[in-house]
Amino acid sequence: MKTFLFSKLSIITLAVITFASCQNKGPHFTVEGKIANADTTMLYLERRSLNETTIIDSVKLETDGSFKFKEPALGYPEFYLLRMDKQSINLAIDSIETITVHASKPTFASEYTIEGSEGSVKIKDIVFAQNKLSRTVSDLRKQFESKEISQDQYVAEIQKALDGYKTKAKDLILSDSKSLASYFALFQKVDGYLIFDPYDKNDLVAFRAVATVWDLYKSKSPRAEHLKTFTLTTLAELKQMASQEETLKKLENTEATDHSVFYNITLPDINNKEVSLSSLKGKVVILDFTAYQTDFSPAHNILINNVYSKNKGNVEVYQVSFDTDIHAWKNAATNLPWICVRDSKLLNSEWLAKFNIQGFPTTYLLNKNGEIVKRILSTDNLASEVQKLL
């Protein structure tokens, strides 16, 4: 009986060892190298999936700083991170490659070399370009807030910095749309907002290029389906916006009275005084739906103020806020030179449906007769569109 039990346990043990051995022999990728001056520091390998970043392995570095991670290949391309403390190095793993990384702990994320992965090298360039853009935007904001530069200079320099990043990134995207680096470049952000604007026709070209190629060649990747859905949804919304433009043009031929009654807004300002949109008839009106608590609000208001200040007396701004915090709204509105009102119904507001507001900011232009003539798109120049109505 004892012999039988011993044999049974031996078979189970052998099966476990054989299974583990088979796992080790399966397709895998390797990340190895040396990190100088990092004795006893923990180094982590993390996987960046669409929805989360997960630690998949770790090692405490020895005196010489050498490390080696060997992980099963997923069967599709994915992003990974080498993380030490709060510093990270982005990696692009396509298949079963061996990537070698050399760095030093003090400058782990800023001065490192990568071999064995062209995609990871390209991502390094993108990360550095994005970091440079973020620093530039932050510096310009400080200069503007301290009145070292004018609004025009601020907006112009921000656009120049954005164009510089986009030019570099587009060269990569259009030359190698299949790479992880192209996907990575598309979804970089500054202040929480995508640098590439999918609602900008020029930027949408890049999204479509990568989505098409990934759908054909990398269909196993969850990112391929995500990018395809993202791009098709954007295209559908752009078509809807174009359709709305046509509808608004047709409204020009309807009875002005009916039109103005249907779309007339009357809401309280910061002094609780009711102000109606129709009271501004005789001026070109920028009708803006927004929320001051959002990150985009300061830059958006700067653009509006640039147009407003140059055409003061002939142009008015009627800005409708949907901020949940009434005190934050009042504090922000107090510093603005135009009409600021707030809809306390927030997401239950009737104006969201009537003006087909899908997100903030949403901006319309009214002519001097009080008629809505245009919905401003991301590709439009607000100043030019206003000039057409003066």
Side-chain angles (χ1 to χ4, degrees), residues 123 125-134 158-173 181-190 194-196:
I123 286 177
D125 292 339
I126 294 165
V127 169
F128 286 5
Q130 187 270 345
N131 288 341
K132 180 181 178 182
L133 175 60
S134 295
I158 289 287
Q159 191 60 55
K160 181 180 176 182
L162 287 170
D163 290 343
Y165 172 86
K166 288 182 181 181
T167 298
K168 183 180 182 68
K170 278 183 179 178
D171 287 343
L172 165 64
I173 291 168
S182 294
Y183 183 101
F184 186 88
L186 272 182
F187 288 97
Q188 291 305 290
K189 298 180 178 181
V190 169
L194 288 172
I195 300 171
F196 278 94

Side-chain angles (χ1 to χ4, degrees), residues 179-235:
S179 72
L180 275 164
S182 294
Y183 183 101
F184 186 88
L186 272 182
F187 288 97
Q188 291 305 290
K189 298 180 178 181
V190 169
D191 290 346
Y193 290 90
L194 288 172
I195 300 171
F196 278 94
D197 181 0
Y199 295 97
D200 183 319
K201 291 179 181 178
N202 294 321
D203 291 353
L204 184 58
V205 171
F207 283 97
R208 294 182 71 173
V210 178
T212 301
V213 172
W214 274 57
D215 189 44
L216 285 173
Y217 299 103
K218 298 182 183 290
S219 57
K220 291 183 179 181
S221 170
R223 295 181 185 275
E225 184 61 30
H226 164 260
L227 183 54
K228 180 181 178 181
T229 302
F230 179 89
T231 305
L232 289 176
T233 301
T234 302
L235 285 168

Side-chain angles (χ1 to χ4, degrees), residues 44-157:
Y44 299 89
L45 179 64
E46 301 177 341
R47 181 185 297 123
R48 297 183 61 190
S49 66
L50 266 174
N51 302 315
E52 61 181 353
T53 299
T54 308
I55 297 174
I56 58 174
D57 204 350
S58 62
V59 64
K60 180 180 284 189
L61 297 173
E62 300 298 337
T63 305
D64 68 347
S66 61
F67 68 92
K68 184 174 184 178
F69 296 116
K70 186 176 180 180
E71 296 295 327
L74 294 178
Y76 56 82
E78 189 55 282
F79 297 107
Y80 291 80
L81 288 174
L82 268 183
R83 180 172 62 81
M84 177 182 289
D85 296 332
K86 295 182 179 180
Q87 299 187 80
S88 298
I89 295 175
N90 289 273
L91 302 175
I93 307 292
D94 280 309
S95 183
I96 57 173
E97 60 264 58
T98 295
I99 298 178
T100 304
V101 178
H102 287 93
S104 177
K105 180 180 178 180
T107 56
F108 181 70
S110 59
E111 296 179 14
Y112 61 92
T113 62
I114 294 181
E115 296 176 359
S117 172
E118 184 181 354
S120 298
V121 173
K122 290 179 178 178
I123 286 177
K124 175 183 176 182
D125 292 339
I126 294 165
V127 169
F128 286 5
Q130 187 270 345
N131 288 341
K132 180 181 178 182
L133 175 60
S134 295
R135 290 193 299 270
T136 299
V137 170
S138 178
D139 290 343
L140 287 169
R141 184 184 295 116
K142 290 177 182 178
Q143 290 178 49
F144 174 70
E145 290 173 350
S146 62
K147 297 183 179 180
E148 294 177 41
I149 57 175
S150 66
Q151 289 181 10
D152 288 348
Q153 289 175 308
Y154 176 65
V155 173
E157 289 300 318

